[in-house]
Amino acid sequence: MLLRHALTRPEPGLPRTLRPATVGGEVAYSALRAAGHLIELTPGVAVLAGTAVTRTDRLAALGPRIPPRTVVGRLSAVWVHTGHGVPGELSVLYAPGTHRPPGRPDLRTHQATLAPADVEGLPGLHVTSPLRTAVDVARHVPRDIALAALTHLWSAGLATPAQTAARLREHRASPCTSEALDIVAELAARVGAGPGPAPRPVAVSVSARPSTR
C-alpha cells in the first residue's frame, strides 16, 4: 500500500482482524490507526472502526500469542468473552501430564484439567467457556478484580451466580473455594440472584476437541 493511500479506509473484503501485513506494512497500519480507521484490540491487531467486535475477533487477536495445546483462561478469557480489561498479560491453561509452555514476560501459565464443556473456540484457538471462566476467576483472582470481572460476565448473560456457585460447590472444600463462594454470594446479593444446582463435569485433557461456538 502506498503511503498516500494509508489514510483511506481499507477496502471491504479484508479479514475481520487486521495486522500491519494485511494493510501494507507498519507505516500504513500506524497511519490508519491515527486517522481513526482502525481500532486496535491488542498490539499489532485491529478491526475496522465501527466493527461490532465479537468474542471470535478477540480470540483471533490473541492467536499469535497463544502457545500450542493451551487454552486461554482466567482474566484473559474474561477479555475474550466481554472485552473487559486489557490483555497485556496472557493467561493460559495447560493439561496435567503435558509440558508447561516456555516462559515469556507477557505469559502466565496454569496447570488445569478441563471438561469438554469447559472449552470452546476456533480450530487451534481455545478459550474456557464463560462458566468455567467465572469459576476460575472466583477461585484464583484477587477479590476486587474478581468482582469486577464477574460483574461483566454476568451482565453479558454469559453465566449466572447460581451456575457459578453450583460449580464451585463441586470442588473440594478449601479456603480457596470458601473465599470464591463468598465472592459469588456478595455479587449475587447485589443483583438479587441466588445459587442453584449444576451438573458435575467429567475431567479430561485440554487436548479434547472443543466446541466451535
Side-chain angles (χ1 to χ4, degrees):
M1 180 183 290
L2 297 177
L3 182 58
R4 68 173 181 271
H5 296 149
L7 296 182
T8 63
R9 185 181 177 89
E11 56 274 10
L14 289 171
R16 283 184 62 88
T17 52
L18 305 172
R19 294 170 170 79
T22 315
V23 296
E26 295 284 353
V27 173
Y29 179 87
S30 297
L32 287 165
R33 279 191 61 207
H37 296 309
L38 297 181
I39 304 300
E40 196 163 62
L41 301 180
T42 62
V45 184
V47 295
L48 290 175
T51 298
V53 179
T54 67
R55 290 187 279 174
T56 298
D57 295 329
R58 287 187 285 266
L59 181 59
L62 292 176
R65 298 168 56 197
I66 301 173
R69 297 176 297 280
T70 65
V71 177
V72 176
R74 301 193 182 183
L75 292 177
S76 297
V78 173
W79 180 79
V80 169
H81 289 305
T82 70
H84 169 70
V86 179
E89 288 185 354
L90 176 62
S91 292
V92 298
L93 312 180
Y94 66 100
T98 65
H99 289 292
R100 183 174 186 168
R104 298 196 318 251
D106 70 325
L107 187 65
R108 298 293 177 267
T109 58
H110 313 279
Q111 190 177 93
T113 299
L114 299 171
D118 289 335
V119 182
E120 58 185 47
L122 304 168
L125 300 177
H126 306 152
V127 62
T128 52
S129 68
L131 179 54
R132 175 59 190 249
T133 301
V135 170
D136 286 348
V137 166
R139 294 188 75 228
H140 300 295
V141 173
R143 188 183 192 94
D144 289 347
I145 299 173
L147 286 168
L150 290 171
T151 297
H152 281 83
L153 279 171
W154 296 347
S155 296
L158 298 174
T160 68
Q163 291 169 330
T164 306
R167 284 289 299 271
L168 284 168
R169 292 192 186 100
E170 296 170 4
H171 287 268
R172 179 175 55 85
S174 68
C176 172
T177 301
S178 296
E179 173 69 11
L181 284 166
D182 286 345
I183 290 171
V184 172
E186 178 180 336
L187 202 50
R190 296 181 190 178
V191 299
R200 184 177 182 84
V202 178
V204 298
S205 164
V206 296
S207 61
R209 183 185 298 274
S211 74
T212 55
R213 290 176 291 170

